[in-house]
C-alpha cells in the first residue's frame, strides 16, 4: 500500500522509469547503426554500450552519497539535468562526426540515469509498506518497458529506416561501401544527423520534466540517526551481508544478459537476411513480450515468493538461450525473442531482495545495485568480439556468442535457488 501523501509523487517518480527505459532502448540499436555509418567492427561499435552503461558504474556511488546527504528530490533534479545535457551533446557530436564525442555524450547522459535510478528505486520502496515493497517496485518497473518500446519505435521509424548507409542492391550488397569517398561523406553527414535528432528532442523533453519536478513539493522520507554514520561504516556493513553482495553480482550478470540479447538481436536477424529496420521489429516484439510478462509477474508476486518465481524464470531463460545457440534460422530468432519473457521479472526482484531489511542503508545499498549495471558495459563488447571471431564448428559467430547470456542466466538461477532455499551462498 502507498502512503496517502505519496500517490502523486509515486506517479511522477514512476514516469521516470519510462524515461530511462526510452534512453536505454533508443541507444541499443545504435550499435548496429554506428557500425554501418562509421564502418567499424562489432567490437568497436559495441563501445556504445561500454560508454552508456559505464556511466552507471562511475556515478552510482557519488549519486547515493549525494542523496544520502541531501534529498531524493534533489538527486532526481541532478539526474534530469545530466540526462538532458548528455542528450543535447549529440548536436556537436554529429557536427564533428567524431565517434568518441558520441561516446562522451552517452557517458554523461548515463551519469543522469545513474542519479535517477539510484534515487527512484529506493524512493519507490520507501513510499509504503515494506511488505509490499518488491511488488510496488515491480509495478513501477512495468513502466520501464513502455519507455523502452517507445525508444525502439523511434529508433526503427526515425533512425534505422532513414539511414542511407544501410541501402543495399538486389543481391543484398551494401551500396554505401561502393560509393566514392566524397559521396560516402555526404551520406555519413546525413545519417549522423538522423541519429542526432531524436536525442535533441529527448533533451528538450527532459528539461521540461526537470521544471515539473522542481516546482512540485515532493514528500520527504524521514531520516534516522543511522544516516549520520560515515559512509565507510555503511559500506563495510553491506559487504558483510552475503545476500546483498550476491544480489549485486546477480544483477550484474542479469543486466549483461539483457543488454546482449537486445543489442545483438539485430545482428542475429541481419545474418538471416533481414534489414536493420525489419530486425528492429523483432526487438519490439521482444519488448512487448517483456512488458506482457512484467504485468503477469506483478500479479503472480501476490501469491508466489519472488525468489521462487525468479528461479523458474531463470531456468526458462537458460532453456531459451540454449535454443538460440544450437537452433539456426528463424526458430533461433524466435527463441531469442522468447528470452525476454523470462527476463522481465529479474531486475526489480533481484533489486528488492538485495535491499530487503537494509533500512536506511538502502540508500547506499542501491548504489551497488545500480553499479551492477556495469554488466551491460562489459559484456556486449565481449559478445561483439566473439561475433567478429566467426563461428565455432557448425555454429555461426552470432549463434555461438549467445553462450555469454546463457552463462549469465545460469548464475542467476543459482542465486535464486540459494535465496529460495535459505542456503548460505559461498564464493
Amino acid at each position: 500500500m502507498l502512503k496517502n501523501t505519496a500517490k502523486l509523487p509515486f506517479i511522477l517518480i514512476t514516469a521516470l522509469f519510462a524515461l530511462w527505459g526510452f534512453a536505454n532502448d533508443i541507444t541499443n540499436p545504435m550499435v548496429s547503426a554506428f557500425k554501418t555509418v562509421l564502418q567499424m567492427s562489432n567490437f568497436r561499435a559495441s563501445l556504445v554500450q561500454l560508454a552508456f552503461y559505464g556511466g552507471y558504474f562511475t556515478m552510482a556511488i557519488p549519486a547515493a552519497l549525494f542523496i544520502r546527504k541531501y534529498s531524493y528530490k534533489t538527486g532526481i533534479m541532478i539526474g534530469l539535468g545530466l540526462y538532458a545535457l548528455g542528450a543535447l551533446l549529440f548536436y556537436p557530436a554529429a557536427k564533428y562526426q567524431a565517434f568518441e564525442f558520441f561516446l562522451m555524450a552517452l557517458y554523461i547522459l548515463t551519469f543522469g540515469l545513474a542519479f535517477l535510478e539510484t534515487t527512484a528505486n529506493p524512493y519507490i520502496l520507501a513510499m509504503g509498506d515494506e511488505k509490499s515493497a518488491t511488488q510496488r517496485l515491480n509495478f513501477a518497473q512495468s513502466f520501464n518497458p513502455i519507455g523502452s518500446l517507445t525508444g525502439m519505435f523511434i529508433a526503427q521509424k526515425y533512425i534505422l529506416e532513414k539511414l542511407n548507409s544501410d541501402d543495399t542492391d538486389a543481391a543484398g550488397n551494401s551500396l554505401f561501401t561502393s560509393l566514392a569517398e566524397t559521396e560516402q561523406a555526404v551520406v555519413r553527414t546525413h545519417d549522423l544527423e538522423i541519429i542526432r535528432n531524436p536525442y535533441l528532442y529527448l533533451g528538450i523533453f527532459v528539461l521540461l520534466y526537470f521544471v515539473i519536478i522542481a516546482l512540485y513539493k515532493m514528500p520527504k522520507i524521514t531520516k534516522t540517526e543511522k544516516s549520520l554514520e560515515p559512509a565507510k561504516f555503511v559500506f563495510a556493513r553491506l559487504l558483510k551481508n552475503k545476500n546483498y553482495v550476491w544480489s549485486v553480482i546477480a544483477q550484474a550478470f542479469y543486466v549483461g544478459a539483457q543488454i546482449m540479447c537486445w543489442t545483438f538481436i539485430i545482428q542475429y536477424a541481419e545474418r538471416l537476411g533481414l534489414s536493420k529496420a525489419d530486425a528492429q521489429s523483432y526487438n519490439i516484439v521482444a519488448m512487448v513480450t517483456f512488458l506482457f510478462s512484467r504485468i503477469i509477474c506483478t500479479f503472480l508476486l501476490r501469491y508466489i515468493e519472488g525468489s521462487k518465481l525468479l528461479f523458474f524464470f531463470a531456468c526458462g531463460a537458460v532453456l531459451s538461450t540454449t535454443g538460440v545457440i544450437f537452433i539456426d534460422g528463424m526458430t533461433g530468432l524466435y527463441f531469442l525473442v522468447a528470452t525476454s519473457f523470462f527476463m522481465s521479472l529479474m531486475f526489480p526482484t533481484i533489486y528488492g531482495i538485495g535491499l530487503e531489511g537494509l533500512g536506511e542503508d538502502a540508500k547506499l545499498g542501491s548504489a551497488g545495485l545500480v553499479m551492477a549495471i556495469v554488466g551491460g558495459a562489459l559484456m556486449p563488447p565481449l559478445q561483439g568480439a566473439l561475433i567478429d571471431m566467426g563461428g565455432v564448428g557448425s555454429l555461426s559467430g552470432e549463434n555461438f556468442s549467445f553462450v555469454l547470456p546463457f552463462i549469465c542466466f545460469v548464475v542467476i538461477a543459482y542465486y535464486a535457488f540459494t535465496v529460495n532455499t535459505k542456503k548460505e551462498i559461498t564464493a
Side-chain angles (χ1 to χ4, degrees):
M1 293 179 62
L2 284 171
K3 299 171 183 176
N4 290 332
T5 58
K7 291 182 180 179
L8 184 55
F10 180 82
I11 293 171
L12 290 173
I13 301 305
T14 295
L16 294 175
F17 287 75
L19 202 55
W20 71 65
F22 182 94
N24 290 341
D25 287 282
I26 196 175
T27 301
N28 287 338
M30 295 307 100
V31 173
S32 179
F34 279 120
K35 177 190 173 186
T36 301
V37 175
L38 299 178
Q39 297 176 282
M40 56 182 64
S41 67
N42 284 294
F43 173 78
R44 180 164 168 75
S46 63
L47 293 180
V48 164
Q49 302 294 41
L50 180 62
F52 191 91
Y53 292 97
Y56 279 101
F57 181 80
T58 304
M59 194 52 64
I61 287 181
L65 292 173
F66 183 90
I67 64 171
R68 185 171 181 256
K69 183 176 182 180
Y70 297 100
S71 67
Y72 285 120
K73 177 179 178 177
T74 307
I76 288 167
M77 291 175 63
I78 294 291
L80 290 170
L82 290 169
Y83 187 164
L85 175 62
L88 294 174
L89 282 174
F90 265 62
Y91 182 86
K95 180 178 180 180
Y96 293 106
Q97 300 189 5
F99 183 56
E100 291 74 13
F101 207 147
F102 281 106
L103 296 181
M104 184 185 72
L106 288 169
Y107 191 54
I108 293 173
L109 187 154
T110 49
F111 283 178
L113 299 189
F115 260 92
L116 293 179
E117 293 209 37
T118 303
T119 305
N121 283 294
Y123 203 5
I124 290 292
L125 291 172
M127 284 185 177
D129 189 349
E130 187 173 347
K131 292 181 179 179
S132 60
T134 298
Q135 183 184 355
R136 190 163 56 251
L137 185 58
N138 266 275
F139 175 79
Q141 287 275 356
S142 295
F143 288 81
N144 181 267
I146 293 174
S148 295
L149 278 171
T150 307
M152 287 180 171
F153 177 80
I154 296 297
Q156 180 186 41
K157 296 299 181 182
Y158 297 97
I159 299 180
L160 299 180
E161 286 187 358
K162 296 182 181 295
L163 294 179
N164 292 340
S165 58
D166 200 39
D167 292 343
T168 58
D169 59 23
N173 299 314
S174 172
L175 295 175
F176 179 56
T177 55
S178 65
L179 296 175
E181 186 174 337
T182 54
E183 294 174 312
Q184 285 188 359
V186 172
V187 172
R188 187 176 297 112
T189 298
H190 169 270
D191 284 3
L192 289 177
E193 289 178 354
I194 291 295
I195 291 173
R196 173 202 70 188
N197 290 340
Y199 285 90
L200 295 185
Y201 297 135
L202 175 62
I204 294 170
F205 179 83
V206 172
L207 283 177
L208 293 175
Y209 206 89
F210 174 93
V211 173
I212 293 172
I213 295 294
L215 294 177
Y216 188 80
K217 187 177 181 180
M218 304 292 286
K220 294 183 178 180
I221 303 300
T222 304
K223 295 184 178 182
T224 65
E225 290 301 313
K226 186 183 287 188
S227 65
L228 301 176
E229 281 186 297
K232 63 180 181 180
F233 294 142
V234 179
F235 283 123
R237 188 160 53 244
L238 289 172
L239 290 174
K240 292 178 181 179
N241 186 325
K242 290 185 178 181
N243 174 68
Y244 172 77
V245 171
W246 271 90
S247 294
V248 172
I249 294 170
Q251 198 73 289
F253 278 96
Y254 165 68
V255 176
Q258 174 191 288
I259 302 308
M260 286 188 285
C261 288
W262 289 349
T263 296
F264 291 104
I265 192 171
I266 292 180
Q267 281 85 337
Y268 195 99
E270 280 188 301
R271 188 181 62 83
L272 302 179
L274 281 70
S275 68
K276 282 183 175 61
D278 289 339
Q280 179 68 354
S281 296
Y282 284 91
N283 223 349
I284 291 174
V285 172
M287 183 54 66
V288 171
T289 302
F290 184 91
L291 175 58
F292 179 69
S293 177
R294 176 66 63 78
I295 294 170
I296 292 174
C297 289
T298 301
F299 172 77
L300 290 177
L301 283 168
R302 295 181 181 180
Y303 310 102
I304 304 175
E305 190 176 348
S307 59
K308 290 182 179 179
L309 209 54
L310 179 63
F311 174 72
F312 291 125
F313 273 56
C315 290
V318 168
L319 292 175
S320 64
T321 49
T322 301
V324 177
I325 296 168
F326 292 105
I327 302 176
D328 202 6
M330 293 302 295
T331 303
L333 182 59
Y334 297 150
F335 271 106
L336 182 51
V337 170
T339 303
S340 289
F341 181 91
F342 300 110
M343 292 194 298
S344 68
L345 174 80
M346 295 182 181
F347 185 93
T349 302
I350 295 171
Y351 201 103
I353 292 171
L355 297 186
E356 186 176 351
L358 293 185
E360 189 67 26
D361 288 356
K363 283 189 175 180
L364 291 182
S366 67
L369 289 161
V370 173
M371 285 182 69
I373 293 175
V374 74
L378 300 177
M379 296 184 191
L382 292 177
Q383 188 174 14
L386 285 181
I387 295 174
D388 289 335
M389 288 170 56
V392 174
S394 61
L395 301 177
S396 70
E398 287 79 5
N399 287 76
F400 179 71
S401 71
F402 280 89
V403 71
L404 293 178
F406 170 87
I407 293 171
C408 292
F409 291 128
V410 169
V411 172
I412 295 166
Y414 168 74
Y415 161 79
F417 177 78
T418 55
V419 171
N420 183 50
T421 56
K422 310 299 181 185
K423 291 181 179 179
E424 183 176 288
I425 303 176
T426 59

